[in-house]
């Protein structure tokens, strides 16, 4: 199970986490690459162009320095004719303006490779056009990036928009299309630019570039445009789109892969956790999901009910119909059950017709009600047949530590808990019909006890820890001691004084009972011999011989040898057989009884009237004594009808020449009644309880009760 659990967890974990990590890493890497390409391009384009523009401003400043005043005509004869420019003093105040002043207030120092170049934004134009597109400049972002003065790390602060107006352009509007739109430039502007650059391949960004004039006491700001070659831009955009596309495709394929893996994982997990025959969740699922659920920290306070729900008539159903029909029915049962439970509860097919459930428990009463109504619903699922369902419930209460705090159920083993639920169900027998049984710790204690007894029995026998108790039998008319029954007790040094009810059934199951019977016979014979030697007046003592012992063909010889070995007279030993033993092999039984009698033992039938009555067998069995079961004198049987049966049984025994012993008699009027009916002996608390051999010895000396 642990191995399966590991495999399951591995399957569950694989795929999704790895994919998420891959996608995140890859996306970050892609982002970095894109940013890097972009930044490289911008720095290359901008800075190289800015240099050119700066050189022009410096050229103008030099001419201005040489001139005597700020004449509007100053540059007319130079290449700078018609250029807008401004002369400012050191603090940026206008001294002279030639052309239109669209120079913004704030200056920015851009670290252009070796020297800082001061630039101003253009207040009027924030859009530049090229081709069939226009760029909207985000000035603050543009300068913010520039201000970083970190060569090579610029952000081109514009958004690309498509100007609809330009779409349906014809050749006539060429000027507008490709113009460097800076304050409604004149047609000469266009011509000039057209001369310098190829018409189709221009992008211009308006900007005011500053140069020092007059040794730095004044500044000349020149309106310029940063021209970007369309080819550069196209290559860049194409490259950018291509890289972006590749990255996008890769990411999409990664995600697609992840989804595929996820679907596959689901399929595998489902195969792993589904019962093929019924489609129900299987045991594997139950254990893994169940433990996860119960062990959760937040569920530490929640009581859970572990349930074993069994469809009792499954085998019969399969016999009468077919296995396939049976499985179909199980599927229907499963579906109905799943439908009934809450989403945070679990139902799975554990084995054959057993379903394992984890329910969120309330009180025992509430759980019982829930299961009763579930069973009620299930029992009519296959009408007109009524189906029988039994449920065993093991309630898990919250765990607390020494300080009384609720703690997680980390140590939980659901398999064990489910087995406990099964033990609870096993208390109901198949013939009980539908029902619900709860597990309690005593069941575990019982199982543990069986193991302990099994482990200790041999040692206890060797150490003579088993003691013979004697319960005297008295004549009800004369109160004379007529006999006794030897009853075992276990004086265990570890477990104290243990009564036969706690060990005999275990010995009967594990076969140790034959050793016990021998032990008792041997000890009783030994005691009788000892008492005879002491000169005491001994009476027959009966010893119980278990039904299992009758499998031994030489039982009579075996008993004879045991008794003879102790040197006790055989007629002081009586063998008690239980009525049920008569059913096994009647002929062998009769043989053994006859032999025992031939050897000189007395033989009695124990517990007559309890369970199966075999009046018929009485006539074939040459028995000496009939022991009337204590049940005759208890509860409902004790009334008038009981008395009739007892008196008839005594009569019957007499006519078969058997003596009668009434067991379990506690009341005076019972004694009187039995005396009147002619019962020979009474063995009951009224006269004496089973007692240690020393007490019995004392009783023998008194001889009457
Ligand atoms: P059992 O052979 O029917 O023994 C009679 C049981 O009834 C004894 O219980 C005895 O203590 C009890 N009893 C007698 N009179 C009264 C009474 O007036 N009232 C009540 N309430 N009980 C009375 P014990 O000694 O506990 O033995 C229980 C059973 O264990 C025995 O039933 C017998 O079946 C089995 N057992 C005891 N010792 C041995 C043994 O050495 N070998 C075998 N094979 N079975 C034994
Ligand atoms: Ca007995
Ligand atoms: Ca008995």
């Amino acid at each position: 199970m642990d191995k399966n659990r590991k495999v399951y967890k591995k399957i569950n974990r694989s795929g999704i986490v790895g994919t998420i990590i891959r996608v995140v890493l890859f996306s970050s890497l892609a982002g970095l690459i894109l940013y890097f390409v972009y930044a490289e391009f911008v720095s290359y384009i901008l800075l190289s162009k800015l240099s050119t523009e700066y050189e022009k401003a410096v050229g103008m400043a030099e001419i201005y320095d040489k001139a005597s005043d700020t004449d509007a005509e100053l540059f007319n004869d130079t290449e700078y004719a018609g250029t807008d420019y401004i002369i400012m003093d050191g603090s940026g105040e206008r001294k002279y303006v030639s052309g239109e002043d669209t120079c913004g207030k704030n200056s920015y120092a851009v670290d252009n490779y070796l020297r800082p170049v001061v630039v101003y934004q253009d207040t009027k134009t924030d859009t530049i056009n090229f081709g069939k597109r226009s760029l909207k400049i985000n000035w603050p972002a543009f300068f913010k990036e520039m201000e970083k003065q970190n060569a090579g790390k610029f952000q081109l602060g514009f958004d690309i928009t498509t100007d609809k107006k330009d779409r349906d352009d014809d050749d006539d509007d060429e000027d507008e299309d490709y113009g460097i739109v800076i304050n409604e430039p004149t047609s000469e502007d266009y011509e000039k630019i057209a001369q310098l650059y190829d018409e189709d391949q221009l992008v211009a960004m308006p900007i005011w570039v500053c140069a020092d004039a007059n040794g730095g006491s004044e500044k000349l700001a020149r309106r310029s445009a940063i021209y970007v070659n369309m080819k550069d831009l196209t290559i860049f955009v194409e490259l950018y789109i291509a890289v972006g596309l590749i990255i996008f495709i890769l990411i999409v394929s990664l995600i697609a892969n992840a989804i595929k893996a996820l679907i596959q994982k689901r399929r595998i997990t489902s195969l792993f956790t589904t019962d093929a025959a019924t489609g129900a969740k299987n045991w594997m699922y139950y254990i893994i999901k169940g433990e996860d659920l119960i062990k959760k920290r937040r569920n530490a306070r929640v009581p859970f009910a572990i349930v074993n729900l069994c469809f009792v008539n499954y085998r019969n159903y399969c016999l009468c119909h077919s296995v396939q029909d049976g499985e179909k029915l199980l599927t229907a049962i499963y579906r109905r059950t799943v439908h009934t439970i809450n989403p945070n509860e679990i139902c799975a097919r554990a084995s054959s017709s057993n379903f394992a459930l984890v329910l969120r428990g309330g009180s025992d009463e509430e759980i019982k009600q829930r299961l009763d109504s579930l069973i009620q619903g299930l029992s009519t699922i296959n009408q007109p047949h009524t189906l029988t369902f039994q449920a065993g419930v093991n309630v898990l209460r919250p765990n607390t530590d020494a300080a009384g705090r609720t703690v997680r159920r980390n140590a939980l083993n659901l398999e064990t808990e489910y087995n406990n639920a099964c033990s609870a169900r096993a208390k109901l027998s198949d013939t009980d019909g539908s029902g619900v049984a709860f597990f309690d710790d005593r069941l575990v204690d019982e199982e543990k006890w069986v193991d302990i007894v099994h482990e200790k029995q041999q040692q206890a026998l060797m150490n003579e820890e088993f003691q013979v108790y004697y319960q005297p039998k008295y004549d009800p008319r004369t109160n004379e001691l007529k006999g006794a029954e030897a009853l075992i007790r276990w004086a265990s040094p570890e477990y104290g004084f243990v009564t036969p009810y706690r060990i005999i059934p275990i010995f009967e199951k594990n076969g140790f009972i034959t050793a016990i019977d021998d032990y008792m016979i041997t000890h009783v014979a030994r005691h009788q011999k000892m008492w005879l030697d002491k000169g005491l007046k001994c009476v027959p003592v009966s010893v119980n011989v278990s039904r299992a012992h009758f499998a031994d063909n030489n039982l009579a010889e075996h008993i004879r040898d045991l008794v003879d070995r102790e040197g006790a007279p055989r007629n002081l030993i009586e063998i008690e057989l239980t009525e049920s033993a008569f059913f096994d092999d009647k002929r062998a039984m009769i043989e053994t009884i006859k032999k025992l009698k031939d050897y000189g033992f007395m033989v009695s039938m124990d517990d007559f009237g309890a369970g199966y009555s075999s009046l018929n067998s009485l006539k074939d069995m040459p028995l000496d004594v009939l022991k009337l079961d204590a049940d005759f004198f208890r509860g409902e049987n004790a009334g008038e009808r009981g008395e009739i049966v007892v008196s008839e049984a005594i009569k019957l025994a007499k006519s078969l020449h058997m003596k009668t012993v009434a067991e379990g008699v506690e009341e005076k009027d019972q004694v009187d009644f039995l005396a009147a009916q002619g019962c020979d002996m009474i063995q009951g608390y009224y006269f004496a309880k089973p007692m240690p051999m020393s007490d019995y010895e004392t009783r023998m000396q008194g001889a009457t009760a």
Side-chain angles (χ1 to χ4, degrees):
M1 194 66 208
D2 274 352
K3 202 173 152 199
N4 285 354
R5 194 181 318 215
K6 269 184 205 151
V7 174
Y8 176 84
K9 294 229 156 140
K10 209 168 168 187
I11 293 175
N12 240 354
R13 219 183 2 242
S14 66
I16 189 72
V17 179
T19 312
I20 289 174
I21 293 174
R22 254 175 283 158
V23 168
V24 168
L25 278 180
F26 199 79
S27 311
S28 330
L29 192 73
L32 271 176
I33 292 173
L34 284 183
Y35 181 77
F36 182 73
V37 170
Y38 181 72
E40 276 306 302
F41 172 78
V42 170
S43 64
Y44 160 71
I45 300 286
L46 274 191
L47 295 179
S48 61
K49 308 290 172 183
L50 195 62
S51 284
T52 321
E53 294 309 306
Y54 178 68
E55 293 306 336
K56 286 179 188 165
V58 170
M60 280 181 85
E62 276 167 5
I63 295 169
Y64 171 73
D65 282 353
K66 281 177 208 149
S68 51
D69 59 44
T70 52
D71 185 347
E73 302 297 310
L74 188 60
F75 299 104
N76 274 357
D77 299 331
T78 71
E79 57 174 307
Y80 305 116
T83 310
D84 293 341
Y85 69 95
I86 300 165
I87 305 294
M88 303 173 203
D89 63 13
S91 57
E93 283 300 315
R94 306 290 197 265
K95 284 178 99 179
Y96 180 79
V97 176
S98 170
E100 198 183 4
D101 181 1
T102 59
C103 179
K105 277 218 178 74
N106 300 328
S107 65
Y108 301 86
V110 177
D111 198 0
N112 190 33
Y113 297 117
L114 294 174
R115 60 207 160 190
V117 173
V118 175
V119 295
Y120 289 85
Q121 77 179 63
D122 190 281
T123 53
K124 197 168 177 187
T125 310
D126 61 357
T127 305
I128 50 176
N129 297 319
F130 65 96
K132 293 200 181 293
R133 296 187 186 165
S134 59
L135 297 181
K136 190 160 175 68
I137 301 165
N138 180 349
W139 282 109
F142 176 70
F143 286 119
K144 201 171 148 228
E145 281 306 316
M146 281 193 150
E147 221 178 7
K148 279 186 188 165
Q149 299 197 359
N150 202 354
K153 296 259 161 68
F154 289 112
Q155 186 102 23
L156 197 62
F158 49 60
D159 310 320
I160 295 180
T161 58
T162 303
D163 191 341
K164 276 189 191 142
K165 189 187 72 174
D166 291 345
R167 284 238 173 109
D168 40 38
D169 271 346
D170 53 36
D171 287 345
D172 300 344
D173 297 332
E174 232 169 19
D175 285 352
E176 273 176 27
D177 274 348
Y178 306 114
I180 320 307
V181 186
I182 309 165
N183 299 332
E184 295 160 33
T186 59
S187 52
E188 291 95 80
D189 288 336
Y190 288 121
E191 271 165 34
K192 210 177 269 173
I193 295 159
Q195 281 163 10
L196 288 168
Y197 301 92
D198 216 350
E199 245 188 334
D200 271 5
Q201 300 177 348
L202 277 179
V203 167
M205 193 153 65
I207 197 166
W208 289 76
V209 179
C210 237
D212 282 350
N214 275 336
S217 62
E218 289 177 328
K219 282 182 201 317
L220 184 142
R222 174 179 176 274
R223 180 147 99 178
S224 37
I226 295 176
Y227 293 99
V228 176
N229 196 302
M230 190 58 189
K231 235 184 246 160
D232 291 349
L233 195 67
T234 311
I235 290 171
F236 164 71
V237 170
E238 279 170 3
L239 186 80
Y240 204 72
I241 289 175
V243 172
L245 215 66
I246 292 170
I247 291 169
F248 176 76
I249 288 170
L250 281 175
I251 291 179
V252 166
S253 70
L254 257 179
I255 292 173
N257 261 341
I259 292 171
K260 210 171 115 191
L262 208 78
I263 293 170
Q264 254 166 7
K265 193 202 72 189
R266 283 201 159 203
R267 278 201 200 124
I268 295 175
T269 334
S270 152
L271 270 180
F272 214 61
T273 55
T274 307
D275 172 55
T278 57
K281 291 290 175 203
N282 65 10
W283 177 244
M284 178 85 194
Y285 176 89
Y286 181 72
I287 292 296
I288 290 171
K289 290 284 166 185
E291 285 196 358
D292 280 356
L293 177 73
I294 300 169
K295 282 183 179 176
K296 274 200 178 109
R297 186 184 302 282
R298 66 179 142 91
N299 285 339
R301 286 171 191 279
V302 181
F304 284 99
I306 310 300
V307 182
N308 160 230
L309 178 71
C310 179
F311 165 35
V312 178
N313 341 89
Y314 181 57
R315 251 170 227 191
N316 282 344
Y317 188 89
C318 288
L319 281 176
C320 298
H321 301 79
S322 68
V323 176
Q324 282 80 0
D325 282 351
E327 281 169 351
K328 262 188 215 154
L329 185 56
L330 289 182
T331 308
I333 292 169
Y334 172 74
R335 291 209 178 129
R336 170 73 70 93
T337 310
V338 167
H339 187 72
T340 320
I341 63 173
N342 299 322
N344 48 9
E345 298 178 325
I346 295 173
C347 173
R349 185 186 181 199
S351 62
S352 162
S353 62
N354 286 281
F355 294 91
L357 281 74
V358 176
L359 304 179
R360 280 171 184 258
S363 65
D364 285 6
E365 200 40 51
E366 283 163 352
I367 298 168
K368 186 168 171 346
Q369 268 173 15
R370 271 190 78 182
L371 288 170
D372 278 341
S373 75
L374 170 67
I375 288 174
Q376 175 70 33
L378 290 175
S379 65
T380 56
I381 205 166
N382 191 39
Q383 273 177 339
H385 306 282
T386 303
L387 310 180
T388 307
F389 289 86
Q390 293 178 341
V393 187
N394 174 16
V395 182
L396 303 183
R397 307 259 168 239
N399 279 349
T400 45
D401 62 9
R405 282 180 303 245
T406 313
V407 287
R408 274 175 86 174
R409 301 173 171 102
N410 278 330
L412 174 106
N413 181 329
L414 189 53
E415 220 166 332
T416 314
E417 302 299 344
Y418 178 74
N419 282 342
N420 289 343
C422 292
S423 308
R425 194 196 61 86
K427 285 194 293 187
L428 305 168
S429 85
D430 286 5
T431 49
D432 278 352
S434 289
V436 178
F438 281 76
F439 170 80
D440 79 72
D441 293 340
R442 272 174 301 179
L443 275 174
V444 179
D445 292 348
E446 267 169 39
E447 278 165 26
K448 280 189 193 149
W449 175 245
V450 169
D451 289 344
I452 291 172
V453 171
H454 189 78
E455 193 190 313
K456 303 278 177 188
Q457 58 194 24
Q458 189 59 40
Q459 198 190 348
L461 192 85
M462 311 282 275
N463 297 346
E464 304 243 333
E465 287 169 20
F466 297 115
Q467 294 180 358
V468 184
Y469 266 50
Y470 289 90
Q471 187 175 27
K473 299 169 191 166
Y474 286 98
D475 182 325
R477 283 169 301 267
T478 61
N479 287 0
E480 240 182 296
L481 180 73
K482 286 286 168 127
E485 178 176 3
L487 296 159
I488 195 170
R489 301 289 182 264
W490 181 21
S492 163
E494 280 167 90
Y495 306 103
F497 193 77
V498 183
T499 65
Y501 289 115
R502 296 195 61 207
I503 46 175
I504 294 294
I506 299 174
F507 294 151
E508 275 173 348
K509 271 201 188 127
N510 71 22
F512 195 64
I513 192 70
T514 53
I516 289 292
D517 288 349
D518 290 357
Y519 180 96
M520 293 295 282
I521 292 167
T522 306
H523 280 75
V524 168
R526 193 173 295 163
H527 295 163
Q528 292 283 50
K529 168 83 170 90
M530 183 189 76
W531 288 321
L532 278 178
D533 292 349
K534 277 189 182 176
L536 289 172
K537 186 173 171 271
C538 288
V539 286
V541 172
S542 59
V543 184
N544 294 285
V545 172
S546 157
R547 166 182 186 172
H549 224 140
F550 280 83
D552 178 0
N553 280 337
N554 299 319
L555 179 66
E557 290 78 2
H558 179 68
I559 292 174
R560 178 196 65 194
D561 295 346
L562 290 177
V563 174
D564 290 356
R565 201 176 299 151
E566 298 300 324
R570 295 177 191 167
N571 64 354
L572 286 185
I573 305 290
E574 178 183 323
I575 302 300
E576 283 193 16
L577 312 170
T578 52
E579 216 185 347
S580 56
F582 289 73
F583 286 93
D584 287 348
D585 182 350
K586 206 167 154 188
R587 192 178 300 215
M589 182 88 171
I590 294 171
E591 267 320 291
T592 306
I593 294 171
K594 278 188 178 150
K595 276 199 255 173
L596 283 169
K597 284 191 55 113
D598 287 348
Y599 295 142
F601 296 105
M602 291 213 288
V603 184
S604 55
M605 185 196 267
D606 199 3
D607 301 340
F608 180 77
Y612 315 91
S613 272
S614 50
L615 282 175
N616 200 33
S617 25
L618 279 183
K619 66 177 190 338
D620 307 321
M621 307 272 176
L623 296 160
D624 301 289
V625 181
L626 191 67
K627 294 191 78 176
L628 302 176
D629 192 73
D631 258 12
F632 283 121
F633 311 102
R634 298 236 161 83
E636 288 170 17
N637 298 331
E640 205 177 303
R641 291 172 68 85
E643 287 183 353
I644 295 170
V645 177
V646 170
S647 92
E648 289 308 314
I650 293 171
K651 272 184 210 152
L652 178 76
K654 276 201 190 310
S655 59
L656 291 169
H657 311 290
M658 293 161 76
K659 287 198 181 317
T660 42
V661 177
E663 281 188 299
V665 176
E666 296 180 355
E667 309 295 338
K668 169 90 169 77
D669 50 351
Q670 291 170 338
V671 178
D672 294 343
F673 167 76
L674 288 161
Q677 300 307 312
C679 177
D680 300 292
M681 283 169 263
I682 286 182
Q683 176 192 345
Y685 289 179
Y686 176 78
F687 285 108
K689 290 188 172 177
M691 56 189 73
M693 65 174 290
S694 55
D695 291 3
Y696 175 64
E697 198 180 312
T698 318
R699 288 256 174 173
M700 270 198 290
Q701 282 154 354
T704 51

